[in-house]
């Protein structure tokens, strides 16, 4: 059994446990409500419900033939679907993964991240981000860095910003800035050291097309002074020429 199969087996077991707890809770609430309704002349009993279902199934059989009774109740349905032999579609599996993510342990979450990044797992990973370890967040950031910060399976840098390590954010921001692209969503998360590197590169490269003006609110006094001195030097140089 590979890691992916183990992951789904683990999820299936957890879901079964959750389903059973929810069922017991709903049954107890159902019983209390029913008793209160009976006290006022309402409510229901299981025998009456069973008689009603059998009667409805029989009526359906009369109209549609031998298979009618079986098809009347959804629980007995054998309809053909596009969900495959298991009766569960890929979208159903994705939804279940998203819902169970907050209850998974760190090891299982790591396996899920591995399958998302390097396997065939397709889901909305953004819902699981608050529960991932720093190492798993770093793995996802590394993948986005290789993609030059572009979207990967619906996941964007913006989704990771509140959870990512400052160094990973800096590395991606600098890489994109040097290519002339400013990711404005990242600007508030970039460190002072990162801004300093960008300012130094800008000052060294007179041909830079980077729009440095929009960075001013994020720069410290030292970097503002460095830019001011650079502008003065360039102005004097141009006047001499």
């Amino acid at each position: 059994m590979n890691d992916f199969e183990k992951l789904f087996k683990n999820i299936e077991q957890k879901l079964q446990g959750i389903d059973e707890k929810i069922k017991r809770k709903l049954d107890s609430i159902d019983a209390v409500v029913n008793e209160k309704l009976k006290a006022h002349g309402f409510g229901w009993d299981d025998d009456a419900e069973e008689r009603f279902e059998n009667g409805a199934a029989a009526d359906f059989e009369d109209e549609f033939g031998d298979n009618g009774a079986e098809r009347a109740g959804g629980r007995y349905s054998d309809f053909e679907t596009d969900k495959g032999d298991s009766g569960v579609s890929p979208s159903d599996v994705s939804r279940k993964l998203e819902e169970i993510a907050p209850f998974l342990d760190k090891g299982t979450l790591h396996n899920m991240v591995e399958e998302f990044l390097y396997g065939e797992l397709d889901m909305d990973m953004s819902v699981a981000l608050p529960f991932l370890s720093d190492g798993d967040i770093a793995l996802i950031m590394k993948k986005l860095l290789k993609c030059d910060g572009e979207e990967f399976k619906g996941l964007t840098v913006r989704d990771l910003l509140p959870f990512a390590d400052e160094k990973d954010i800096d590395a991606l921001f600098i890489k994109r800035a040097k290519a002339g692209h400013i990711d404005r969503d990242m600007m508030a998360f970039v460190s002072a050291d990162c801004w300093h590197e960008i300012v130094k590169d800008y000052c060294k490269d007179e041909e830079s097309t980077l729009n440095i003006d929009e960075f001013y609110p994020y720069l410290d006094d030292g970097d503002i002074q460095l830019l001011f001195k650079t502008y003065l030097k360039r102005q004097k140089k141009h006047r001499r020429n």
Side-chain angles (χ1 to χ4, degrees):
M1 183 181 293
N2 59 35
D3 290 342
F4 195 48
E5 290 173 334
K6 290 179 181 177
L7 171 64
F8 275 101
K9 186 173 180 61
N10 186 303
I11 290 172
E12 183 179 9
Q13 291 172 348
K14 288 180 179 291
L15 281 176
Q16 288 174 350
I18 293 172
D19 286 346
E20 185 61 30
K21 289 179 182 178
I22 293 173
K23 183 179 183 301
R24 288 199 300 268
K25 190 67 175 176
L26 289 176
D27 287 344
S28 63
I29 294 173
D30 197 40
V32 171
V33 171
N34 189 37
E35 288 302 319
K36 290 186 178 295
L37 287 172
K38 281 182 177 180
H40 294 280
F42 300 97
W44 61 89
D45 61 81
D46 294 336
D47 291 339
E49 184 177 356
E50 184 177 352
R51 288 195 300 272
F52 175 80
E53 287 185 354
N54 290 338
D59 291 342
F60 198 88
E61 181 177 0
D62 290 340
E63 184 173 355
F64 293 99
D66 294 339
N67 293 330
E70 193 168 296
R71 293 173 60 188
R75 77 193 76 178
Y76 309 114
S77 177
D78 232 359
F79 293 138
E80 293 183 3
T81 69
D82 60 353
K83 296 183 178 181
D85 295 336
S86 66
V88 180
S89 70
S91 61
D92 288 336
V93 174
S94 297
R95 180 178 55 79
K96 288 184 179 297
L97 286 168
E98 293 154 14
E99 291 177 352
I100 201 173
F103 304 98
L104 298 178
D105 58 61
K106 295 298 183 182
T108 307
L109 282 170
H110 175 71
N111 290 339
M112 185 171 70
V113 170
E114 290 270 331
E115 289 294 337
F116 176 78
L117 294 177
Y118 311 113
E120 297 181 359
L121 178 60
D122 192 5
M123 61 174 286
D124 181 6
M125 183 58 71
S126 64
V127 301
L129 295 179
F131 312 102
L132 300 184
S133 67
D134 293 343
D136 286 331
I137 293 291
L139 279 178
I140 298 174
M141 282 294 290
K142 184 178 179 181
K143 186 71 171 181
L144 288 173
L145 187 60
K146 289 182 178 179
C147 299
D148 292 328
E150 298 299 328
E151 179 182 301
F152 177 77
K153 290 187 178 181
L155 198 63
T156 65
V157 173
R158 178 187 298 180
D159 297 322
L160 276 89
L161 290 176
F163 312 102
D165 185 88
E166 195 175 71
K167 291 181 180 178
D168 293 327
I169 295 175
D170 288 353
L172 183 54
F173 188 81
I174 288 177
K175 180 177 181 179
R176 304 197 80 188
K178 287 183 176 180
H181 179 79
I182 304 302
D183 197 326
R184 290 170 180 79
D185 290 328
M186 300 179 68
M187 291 171 68
F189 297 88
V190 173
S191 72
D193 290 340
C194 178
W195 287 121
H196 184 60
E197 288 299 316
I198 290 173
V199 169
K200 285 198 304 182
D201 287 344
Y202 177 82
C203 292
K204 290 176 182 177
D205 183 9
E206 194 169 344
E207 304 299 322
S208 174
T209 59
L210 192 64
N211 182 15
I212 199 74
D213 298 350
E214 61 183 313
F215 293 168
Y216 297 155
Y218 302 96
L219 305 182
D220 60 24
D221 292 343
D223 287 329
I224 292 293
Q225 291 296 324
L226 178 57
L227 284 171
F228 178 71
K229 291 177 182 178
T230 300
Y231 296 154
L232 287 178
K233 287 180 181 178
R234 289 178 180 176
Q235 186 183 65
K236 290 178 181 179
K237 177 181 177 182
H238 293 154
R239 283 181 176 175
R240 285 197 299 267
N241 294 335

